[in-house]
Amino acid sequence: MALILGIESSCDETAAAVIDSNGTTLAARIVAQRIASQDDAHRPYGGVVPEIAARAHVEVLGPMVGAVLADAGLTLDDMDAIAATAGPGLIGGVMVGLVTAKALAMAADKPLVAVNHLEGHALSPRLADPALHYPYLLLLVSGGHCQILEVAGVGQYRRLATTIDDALGEAFDKTAKILGLGYPGGPAVERLAREGDPKAVPLPRPLVGSGEVHFSFAGLKSAVMRAKEARVVLRQAQDERGLAQDERMTGGHLDQEPARPEPVEGRQRYADADIAASFQQAALDCVVDRTRIALGAATPGMTALVVAGGVAANAALRGALEALAAQHGLPLIAPPPKLCTDNAAMIGWAGAERFALGYVDALDVAARPRWPLDANAAPVRGAGVKG
Ligand code: KG4
Ligand code: ZN
C-alpha cells in the first residue's frame, strides 16, 4: 500500500493529511487529516491578505504535520512519498508548504510529489468515490477558478470553458461583501439565500442563451451592487407613476415585483435575503447554461458529470447540476462538502495518483503562482482570465 503525506497551503487554509491509496472507501483512504482555517485572521480585511496568510502557514504547518502523523499512529518513515501543493496560489503560502515538504523529503529520504492545487480539486471526486472512472466532465468552481474540463486521466486535461472575468466563488464572495455578510462569503450567501425569494430581484444572466462557452460574472456582481442600493416602487405605485428608475437600472425581468421590501423614504429596499437568493439563482442559471453547452461539446464517452472546488459545497448548485446530469443520462458526482473546500486529503490523493504512475519531482521543483491544468488551452478574451 502507498501511504502519502499531503500538504496544502496555497490560500488561507493550512492543511495536512495522511492518505492510504489502497483504501477502498473514503474513510479508509483518509487515515488522518487536519485543517486550520485562517478565517479569523483575514476577517477584518474582508478577504485574504497574502502576507498574513504566509506567516500563519509558517506558524501552523510544522506542528500540524507532527500532529497528523500522530493521529494516524504513523511516522514520517512510514510514508511512501510526500506530496505538497506547488501552485497555483498565493506564492508566499505555496512556498511555505512546498519548502516544508522538500525539507521532510530530504530529511526522511522520501520521494517528493509536487501537486497542482487544481489537480487536487479535479481528482478529489475519485478520492471520495472509488467507482468514478476516467474520462469525466468536470466543473471546477472555486474562489479563483471557474472552468469546465474533460479529465481523461492524471495530467490529461482539456479545457472547454473558463471565465473571462470573475470566478464563481469570487462572485459569491463579492455578493457577500456587498450584503455585509463578512468573510468567507459563499457559505453565508447560501445560508441567507434559503430565507429569500429567488425571483424577487430582477438580475441579469450574463451570456445565457448566447451559445458562449465561457463564463462571465462581473456584470452580475455590478447588478447585485445596484440592487443593494436600489429604492424600488411597488407595482401599484408603478402603475400610477411609471416604471421606477432603479428597476430599469437592474435590467432583466421588469414584470417582477419586489418581494417583502423594507420601507425607505416612501420607496422600498430589497430585502438582503431576496438579493442573496436572486443572485444565487442567477449565478446557477449561468452555470447550468454553460455546463449544458459543454456536455453537448464534450468528447463522447464521459462517465459522469463531476463538480469540485469550494463552490461545489453549495447545495443549490449540486441540486441544479444533478437535474442537468440526469437529462444527459449521466450521474452527478460531487465530493462531500468538506472535501470541496481546500484540504490536504485531496493533495495527498492527487499525489498518490501521480506517485502510482511514477511521477515524482526533484527537490528543486519551483513554486508556481500560475499553473493551468490545460497548458494548451487557447487564450480567451477578457482582462482577468484565470488559467
Ligand atoms: O476551493 P476553495 O476552498 O479555495 C480556492 O481554491 O479558491 O474555494 C473557496 C471558494 C470561496 O469563494 C467560497 O466563498 C466558496 O468557495 N464557497 C462557497 C460555498 N462554500 C465555499 N460558495 C457558495 N456556496 C457555498 N456553500
Ligand atoms: Zn482550492
Side-chain angles (χ1 to χ4, degrees):
M1 79 180 183
L3 288 168
I4 310 287
L5 174 67
I7 292 175
E8 157 61 29
S9 61
S10 66
C11 191
D12 58 343
E13 249 91 38
T14 317
V18 175
I19 294 296
D20 174 1
S21 65
N22 282 5
T24 52
T25 62
L26 176 59
R29 287 174 168 185
I30 303 179
V31 182
Q33 71 165 326
R34 289 194 172 220
I35 300 182
S37 161
Q38 303 174 359
D39 288 353
D40 291 344
H42 300 292
R43 190 166 287 119
Y45 306 94
V48 180
V49 182
E51 270 307 307
I52 293 176
R55 243 174 289 144
H57 289 308
V58 171
E59 284 165 19
V60 172
L61 186 56
M64 180 181 277
V65 167
V68 83
L69 286 168
D71 292 346
L74 298 165
T75 68
L76 203 52
D77 274 343
D78 297 318
M79 298 299 111
D80 292 294
I82 297 168
T85 298
L90 300 174
I91 195 66
V94 173
M95 284 172 70
V96 172
L98 187 58
V99 167
T100 303
K102 287 178 180 180
L104 293 170
M106 187 183 267
D109 196 19
K110 301 289 177 185
L112 173 74
V113 184
V115 173
N116 182 321
H117 178 86
L118 300 174
E119 184 161 69
H121 281 301
L123 304 187
S124 64
R126 281 170 50 84
L127 161 63
D129 186 345
L132 175 61
H133 296 292
Y134 301 119
Y136 52 84
L137 190 71
L138 171 71
L139 172 67
L140 201 168
V141 278
S142 69
H145 294 85
C146 186
Q147 303 184 357
I148 302 176
L149 301 137
E150 287 181 6
V151 182
V154 177
Q156 297 175 46
Y157 304 97
R158 180 173 161 244
R159 196 192 72 194
L160 302 182
T162 186
T163 180
I164 57 179
D165 41 54
D166 294 347
L168 182 59
E170 210 172 342
F172 270 89
D173 292 337
K174 286 174 176 171
T175 295
K177 209 164 186 178
I178 292 165
L179 297 179
L181 298 179
Y183 170 86
V189 170
E190 182 180 21
R191 266 194 306 277
L192 188 59
R194 280 194 214 114
E195 296 161 26
D197 175 359
K199 294 202 172 93
V201 186
L203 293 173
R205 270 79 173 148
L207 303 175
V208 166
S210 71
E212 166 69 58
V213 293
H214 297 301
F215 297 90
S216 168
F217 294 106
L220 176 57
K221 171 195 66 189
S222 305
V224 167
M225 206 177 295
R226 290 196 295 271
K228 173 68 182 167
E229 288 160 7
R231 310 285 201 276
V232 287
V233 180
L234 287 173
R235 163 66 63 194
Q236 203 179 358
Q238 273 178 19
D239 289 343
E240 291 160 17
R241 295 187 223 163
L243 198 60
Q245 169 82 5
D246 298 314
E247 276 208 322
R248 230 180 294 139
M249 283 172 62
T250 57
H253 316 278
L254 297 175
D255 55 339
Q256 290 175 357
E257 283 182 28
R260 282 174 276 119
E262 302 151 15
V264 176
E265 296 168 357
R267 291 185 169 197
Q268 337 265 276
R269 275 188 189 281
Y270 289 119
D272 283 353
D274 288 339
I275 297 176
S278 300
F279 157 76
Q280 183 170 272
Q281 189 60 53
L284 298 195
D285 287 350
C286 294
V287 171
V288 167
D289 179 75
R290 251 28 68 78
T291 308
R292 183 179 288 116
I293 292 172
L295 280 163
T299 308
M302 294 292 132
T303 62
L305 174 62
V306 172
V307 62
V311 191
N314 185 289
L317 174 65
R318 294 160 85 105
L321 291 174
E322 203 151 73
L324 179 67
Q327 286 166 18
H328 287 77
L330 292 175
L332 175 76
I333 307 291
K338 277 200 178 132
L339 273 187
C340 291
T341 46
D342 288 350
N343 63 84
M346 70 180 192
I347 302 303
W349 176 258
E353 288 220 32
R354 295 189 76 78
F355 184 63
L357 295 171
Y359 299 155
V360 294
D361 293 272
L363 288 181
D364 64 352
V365 65
R368 299 174 65 171
R370 292 207 160 212
W371 187 357
L373 278 180
D374 178 1
N376 298 320
V380 300
R381 69 194 156 83
V385 176
K386 318 250 165 83

